Amino acid sequence: MHYGEIKNCDIANGEGVRISLFVSGCTNHCENCFQPQTWDFNYGTPFTKETEDELLCLLAPDYINGLTLLGGEQKNIWSFTGFTWEELHTPGSYPRCEVTDELLSLLDVLVDGRFVEALHDISLRFRGSSNQRIIDVRKTLASGTLTLWDEKAN
């Protein structure tokens, strides 16, 4: 796996001050993607044990709320995907693989859906277009019903 960038103290990609990892490799190719260079699976730097150690070090301070994966006191993990929750759960669908359920179970929040230029809205928090949803993964998995993230409840 390669990554394009690690952002320390990021406030644009999730709640609070976060560490954001921009992972390389995307087949969605959304119109006006803000990092099209990361579509290439080999773009950037290889993810190594040293990279993992760097991320853990950056996540250590109390003022860091958590980790955001992109393309309080409690740390949490957000992930942005170009696929919907339903696509990720449809057997045989392109984005679903043998580790999808395990990966989703490790997330707190998932921003799902492709960025759609025609639905672009700069007033939205933590997403670029109105078709994208912010899903509370823990509540969704516990209840079996898709539950949107509620900023006031968190």
Side-chain angles (χ1 to χ4, degrees):
M1 176 178 100
H2 285 71
Y3 67 96
E5 182 179 4
I6 296 172
K7 281 195 175 185
N8 188 13
C9 298
D10 185 1
I11 60 170
N13 292 301
E15 184 179 37
V17 180
R18 313 183 66 74
I19 306 304
S20 292
L21 174 65
F22 292 82
V23 179
S24 295
C26 181
T27 59
N28 288 333
H29 300 185
C30 297
E31 181 181 356
N32 290 325
C33 171
F34 68 95
Q35 287 201 327
Q37 66 275 19
T38 63
W39 295 352
D40 179 350
F41 283 81
N42 294 312
Y43 173 79
T45 308
F47 191 93
T48 63
K49 174 69 170 120
E50 289 76 21
T51 309
E52 180 182 341
D53 292 343
E54 177 185 359
L55 285 171
L56 292 173
C57 195
L58 290 171
L59 285 163
D62 290 342
Y63 59 86
I64 299 294
N65 285 51
L67 173 69
T68 296
L69 304 174
L70 291 150
E73 294 290 300
Q74 182 179 0
K75 307 285 185 199
N76 54 52
I77 300 175
W78 286 47
S79 180
F80 289 68
T81 179
F83 300 101
T84 65
W85 180 263
E86 293 78 10
E87 288 172 319
L88 292 168
H89 285 88
T90 300
S93 68
Y94 171 73
R96 185 163 178 76
C97 70
E98 66 278 358
V99 298
T100 301
D101 292 336
E102 181 181 3
L103 176 63
L104 289 172
S105 76
L106 299 172
L107 300 178
D108 295 289
V109 175
L110 176 74
V111 179
D112 82 337
R114 286 173 172 75
F115 169 77
V116 176
E117 178 64 29
L119 301 174
H120 180 84
D121 183 346
I122 63 169
S123 71
L124 298 171
R125 289 197 73 196
F126 310 129
R127 59 195 199 273
S129 56
S130 60
N131 63 299
Q132 296 173 305
R133 300 174 294 185
I134 304 175
I135 298 171
D136 186 318
V137 175
R138 301 226 181 260
K139 288 181 182 174
T140 296
L141 293 176
S143 70
T145 303
L146 190 120
T147 306
L148 298 181
W149 179 74
D150 180 359
E151 182 175 7
K152 294 176 183 81
N154 291 296

